[in-house]
Amino acid sequence: MVLQKRLDYGFNGYQVPATPRATRSARRRGTPRKRSEENQMCAFDLLATVAGKLLLDPESSPSSSNTSSDKDRCTVVNQDWQDGNKALKVEPCNQGSCDRIFMVSEQFPQVHDENHSSKESSLPQNDDQSGFTSMITTSNCSERLGSDKMVNGEIKNEMGSFISKIEVGSSACRESDNCKLDGEAKILVNDTGKVLIGNVNDVCSSEDPVVWDGEPPAIVSSDSSAKVPFCGDHNPQSSCPASRDDIKVVSRDDDENSSGCTHPNTSTKYFKRAPRIGDRRIRKILASKHWKVSPRLNDETFSHPDGDIKPLYRSRKDCYKRQRSQMNIPFKKRKLFDRGSGVKSDGGINGDGFFHSPEEGTGDATGSFPKLRGGTGRSCSMPGQRASFQSRDSHVKLRIKSFRVPELFIEIPETATVGSLKRTVMEAVTEILGGGLHIGVLVQGKKVRDDSKTLLQTGISHDNQLDALGFTLEPSRSQSPPPLCTGDSPHLLPADAPQPLARYAPNPTIDHQGTSDASPEPHETNLGNFVESDHDSAPSPTDMSASKSTTDSKALVPVPAMSVEALAVVPVHRKSKRSEIAQRRIRRPFSVAEVEALVQAVEKLGTGRWRDVKLRAFDNAKHRTYVDLKDKWKTLVHTARISPQQRRGEPVPQELLDRVLTAHAYWSQQQAKQQLKQQPETCLLL
DNA sequence: TTTAGGG
DNA sequence: CCCTAAA
């Protein structure tokens, strides 16, 4: 019996980032990808959005102390930005936290003294992320973590840190190593699926366990996203216990009921009411089969530590609009849009509402998000201080505490071990993130596309903008011809369009048919059991692409939730009829599980009966046609014949490849025999 | 529509 | 994956 469960991280859809391999293959195929193209992210590509708050450094913020706390949390950053641009220091993690710190240098030559500017310019810059030259400090958290890489200024997170936190703080803590006064931007990425946004002070001293305890519930409930605190980052004593043991798997039968914008309120309420409910509460919520999914909200909620989401959702329309503007509009257009359109930042995901400026942080915000701000929050920012800060500090400190991960679907046997579950989740996430991520920067809810701009020019660190700085994880887009965009970015879809979700049929349905004809063998692989069927016509980029299944027939299937139409709004000419120009289907690499299923089916049915194979093993995978299966088999055979070094893509277990060869040989022989048999006959006839 | 192959 | 000829 297979238990179908879904891990919902809040995002319902997204274009799965192409894996490096995919890209490679694309190139091979003569589809040159320009750097720019790759980096160009479709808003809908946004995997996660987290915002940080840019805080100004109060003259003498009491912050100095915070640094120390950081150490506790293994978030020690101590490189001298000035001296070693790329210095990377990894500090042992005392408590198993997985914080990563990125040092970001704010660049704005104009304002700064010559020296500085020159220095800055010398820093490696990526056209993509030019504005950020980062340093990453990674503490090893666990087996899987640790492969963060800095690539041309881009933060590539291949393994663990998929769930991280973003904290943005002012340079309040300038005394300590970590928090240098010289103003580096500090971004701390933590694995805890929580967002901590606040002053550096707060951040640094996020010792208050309580703070976060209360958070999860609110976030989760509204989000319908499962929090996956892998590492207890907050407090060792906090309720977030055994780091990774907290993966929550939620079974959802009624995702379709996403209520979109309405959630925020609920969540807020909830939050306020039971700000301290911890994991228990979360679990409960998660366990509930009726919780609703509202991807968009998730974003908001998630990023809204304050729980003050209202501002963001003035109206559904707004939300929708905003989203679209941010996510779907093609680069060029978006740019224009951002500037002139009225969409403006009405509290975009990372808009104003996102971060409350310290001053505002008093009212309900404080109440709802008390710990976060912890006394320091307010202290951090006095207008006057800001000014001074600016004048003397050329750096901004950012701390990214967490990023959001797109919704995932997980199916795993009840008998699977927790460990395997963890692995499965990890794989799924890794696959998503491993494809290469890009970081998007949003200021005032607007995406900053011009990487050449300095932070200052962008408004980051400017006193009037400090409240709206956001970061987004964007899958590097390997295939992002504008047209394709239509099908992407489900997560962008405003909650207003619940239908997409509705399409998602409860898994139970799917299960059986595959099993029915399945052989008694426990391992009979029938993808029907775990391969989510495609969503209608809409190419659901999310789908299998990001799913990875382990041999145990567990599979993760990100759930696409958007309808093409909904997203189509952006591409002007495309919205009417998407079928006009046949779009190339999105690439969906076969997962190992699928391969396994395929091999098994072919072993039994032989080659040449692709329709049967399809019916047998992929009946529920609508996106896999018999032609696809045939093609896959073809490539599998080829793959099996070449040396492992030449293979690309997700490595297929040798065992499977061997079976492929065996089966192929066998059936080829059979075919030959058949022909031989017929030969004589024909001869005779003749 | 399904196969079988080349692109 | 796509495109098609052929069945």
Side-chain angles (χ1 to χ4, degrees):
Chain A
M1 198 28 198
V2 175
L3 238 192
Q4 291 215 333
K5 296 182 177 180
R6 204 199 234 170
L7 231 199
D8 180 354
Y9 289 91
F11 276 79
N12 277 330
Y14 53 86
Q15 169 70 48
V16 176
T19 63
R21 285 163 198 136
T23 304
R24 264 201 309 271
S25 80
R27 282 196 205 104
R28 271 206 322 276
R29 285 173 36 214
T31 312
R33 305 233 181 239
K34 289 160 195 163
R35 177 89 177 122
S36 58
E37 192 177 322
E38 283 183 337
N39 294 331
Q40 180 174 336
M41 81 155 168
C42 280
F44 29 84
D45 282 348
L46 181 63
L47 281 179
T49 300
V50 185
K53 184 171 191 170
L54 185 59
L55 298 173
L56 292 183
D57 170 14
E59 289 279 2
S60 54
S61 66
S63 45
S64 43
S65 62
N66 39 35
T67 353
S68 58
S69 62
D70 264 349
K71 281 176 184 169
D72 295 340
R73 303 173 61 235
C74 308
T75 61
V76 180
V77 174
N78 116 0
Q79 38 287 45
D80 188 334
W81 183 259
Q82 314 280 350
D83 296 347
N85 301 335
K86 287 184 167 181
L88 169 63
K89 186 159 190 174
V90 179
E91 302 262 351
C93 179
N94 302 333
Q95 314 188 348
S97 69
C98 315
D99 295 358
R100 288 165 181 68
I101 296 178
F102 302 85
M103 303 298 282
V104 179
S105 137
E106 179 186 2
Q107 309 182 333
F108 52 138
Q110 331 44 357
V111 178
H112 234 339
D113 56 74
E114 298 304 314
N115 299 330
H116 191 137
S117 63
S118 62
K119 234 175 212 166
E120 294 288 352
S121 59
S122 66
L123 295 175
Q125 292 200 2
N126 180 3
D127 44 65
D128 198 10
Q129 310 291 337
S130 60
F132 292 70
T133 304
S134 334
M135 286 187 168
I136 303 177
T137 301
T138 306
S139 60
N140 43 336
C141 175
S142 66
E143 339 97 74
R144 297 276 203 156
L145 302 177
S147 51
D148 292 18
K149 303 171 187 169
M150 271 302 293
V151 180
N152 296 328
E154 281 183 38
I155 296 169
K156 241 193 169 159
N157 185 326
E158 298 207 50
M159 290 300 267
S161 63
F162 47 90
I163 297 185
S164 23
K165 286 188 168 183
I166 292 184
E167 287 185 25
V168 180
S170 64
S171 57
C173 4
R174 53 188 172 206
E175 310 256 71
S176 68
D177 288 349
N178 335 356
C179 309
K180 285 195 147 192
L181 182 54
D182 46 341
E184 324 87 299
K186 190 160 136 188
I187 300 173
L188 204 155
V189 181
N190 196 307
D191 294 22
T192 331
K194 297 170 183 177
V195 179
L196 199 44
I197 300 173
N199 297 332
V200 171
N201 295 330
D202 298 1
V203 175
C204 291
S205 61
S206 63
E207 62 248 15
D208 185 353
V210 187
V211 175
W212 287 109
D213 286 346
E215 284 289 341
I219 292 173
V220 174
S221 64
S222 61
D223 249 19
S224 76
S225 69
K227 286 294 178 182
V228 188
F230 284 150
C231 300
D233 69 7
H234 4 323
N235 193 319
Q237 311 160 0
S238 79
S239 61
C240 188
S243 47
R244 302 188 163 216
D245 295 329
D246 266 355
I247 297 180
K248 283 139 197 149
V249 180
V250 182
S251 77
R252 301 159 50 189
D253 293 328
D254 58 347
D255 333 324
E256 48 272 40
N257 302 325
S258 69
S259 54
C261 292
T262 39
H263 274 301
N265 296 326
T266 310
S267 63
T268 305
K269 245 186 185 173
Y270 185 67
F271 189 88
K272 286 180 180 174
R273 223 180 282 164
R276 304 210 160 196
I277 298 175
D279 288 339
R280 271 186 203 169
R281 179 65 179 173
I282 297 175
R283 277 180 188 134
K284 242 186 179 175
I285 294 171
L286 291 175
S288 161
K289 285 195 173 184
H290 296 291
W291 65 329
K292 315 203 168 176
V293 183
S294 52
R296 330 203 354 7
L297 290 182
N298 300 341
D299 300 350
E300 310 286 346
T301 314
F302 188 74
S303 39
H304 249 297
D306 292 331
D308 185 9
I309 305 162
K310 249 185 177 175
L312 297 183
Y313 295 94
R314 293 206 173 109
S315 71
R316 289 190 162 191
K317 221 176 183 181
D318 281 0
C319 291
Y320 193 31
K321 249 186 181 172
R322 193 203 342 114
Q323 298 263 351
R324 278 186 343 223
S325 68
Q326 258 183 25
M327 317 285 246
N328 296 321
I329 300 178
F331 184 64
K332 275 188 178 172
K333 278 189 179 177
R334 195 185 309 154
K335 222 173 180 181
L336 295 176
F337 201 98
D338 287 346
R339 297 203 172 159
S341 79
V343 173
K344 198 198 156 190
S345 62
D346 55 303
I349 291 179
N350 303 292
D352 300 337
F354 208 105
F355 304 103
H356 293 276
S357 63
E359 294 89 322
E360 303 174 339
T362 40
D364 58 319
T366 308
S368 53
F369 203 44
K371 302 95 180 216
L372 207 81
R373 308 199 137 193
T376 41
R378 261 175 278 161
S379 62
C380 242
S381 50
M382 298 243 326
Q385 294 179 321
R386 289 182 186 178
S388 62
F389 171 70
Q390 254 192 25
S391 56
R392 69 179 155 81
D393 244 335
S394 59
H395 287 115
V396 181
K397 282 196 175 185
L398 308 176
R399 186 176 190 176
I400 296 177
K401 256 265 159 169
S402 77
F403 277 126
R404 228 158 194 297
V405 176
E407 178 182 71
L408 295 177
F409 238 16
I410 285 184
E411 178 162 335
I412 186 170
E414 287 178 310
T415 54
T417 63
V418 173
S420 66
L421 169 59
K422 291 176 184 176
R423 247 172 286 128
T424 305
V425 174
M426 179 56 96
E427 280 178 36
V429 178
T430 297
E431 177 141 317
I432 295 171
L433 300 186
L437 289 178
H438 289 249
I439 300 298
V441 176
L442 297 98
V443 175
Q444 294 294 344
K446 295 176 189 172
K447 177 151 248 156
V448 179
R449 293 211 140 269
D450 188 348
D451 291 326
S452 61
K453 274 188 181 177
T454 65
L455 295 188
L456 188 63
Q457 291 176 314
T458 308
I460 296 174
S461 93
H462 215 288
D463 33 33
N464 50 25
Q465 310 247 352
L466 76 177
D467 48 9
L469 173 58
F471 294 90
T472 61
L473 285 183
E474 309 156 356
S476 52
R477 189 158 253 293
S478 60
Q479 47 160 297
S480 55
L484 286 183
C485 290
T486 359
D488 304 346
S489 70
H491 57 287
L492 286 184
L493 201 42
D496 311 13
Q499 343 160 337
L501 290 175
R503 295 195 201 150
Y504 216 82
N507 292 331
T509 337
I510 301 172
D511 292 9
H512 306 358
Q513 86 158 92
T515 2
S516 58
D517 103 280
S519 63
E521 306 164 15
H523 258 9
E524 172 84 8
T525 334
N526 182 320
L527 290 185
N529 289 326
F530 57 96
V531 173
E532 281 298 332
S533 56
D534 206 7
H535 294 261
D536 302 6
S537 48
S540 47
T542 0
D543 237 48
M544 283 307 280
S545 35
S547 73
K548 197 163 194 172
S549 25
T550 63
T551 46
D552 296 345
S553 86
K554 338 164 197 177
L556 296 176
V557 182
V559 181
M562 307 313 286
S563 68
V564 176
E565 268 85 2
L567 299 173
V569 189
V570 186
V572 183
H573 48 286
R574 224 170 215 321
K575 66 181 168 187
S576 55
K577 289 188 178 181
R578 64 186 177 200
S579 55
E580 290 178 3
I581 300 173
Q583 287 184 192
R584 188 189 181 88
R585 290 188 298 159
I586 67 166
R587 189 166 177 278
R588 282 155 157 148
F590 277 70
S591 65
V592 172
E594 285 179 293
V595 171
E596 161 122 29
L598 175 60
V599 171
Q600 199 166 314
V602 173
E603 284 174 336
K604 212 156 197 168
L605 303 172
T607 56
R609 294 175 62 192
W610 301 109
R611 181 168 171 277
D612 294 330
V613 170
K614 200 281 196 269
L615 260 39
R616 180 188 181 79
F618 293 79
D619 198 27
N620 290 292
K622 309 278 205 238
H623 58 294
R624 301 296 190 196
T625 67
Y626 43 73
V627 174
D628 291 330
L629 301 180
K630 185 242 347 175
D631 286 343
K632 180 54 184 177
W633 183 261
K634 182 173 60 177
T635 62
L636 271 177
V637 171
H638 177 258
T639 300
R641 287 171 171 165
I642 61 178
S643 69
Q645 291 76 40
Q646 302 178 64
R647 295 171 192 165
R648 309 194 181 191
E650 184 181 2
V652 177
Q654 187 56 45
E655 176 257 332
L656 279 177
L657 292 177
D658 291 340
R659 286 169 65 190
V660 167
L661 287 181
T662 303
H664 187 262
Y666 174 78
W667 288 106
S668 292
Q669 192 181 320
Q670 292 300 307
Q671 212 167 37
K673 281 182 182 174
Q674 285 296 317
Q675 288 183 356
L676 282 177
K677 263 187 189 173
Q678 291 179 357
Q679 284 288 335
E681 287 175 11
T682 50
C683 283
L684 289 175
L685 290 176
L686 291 176

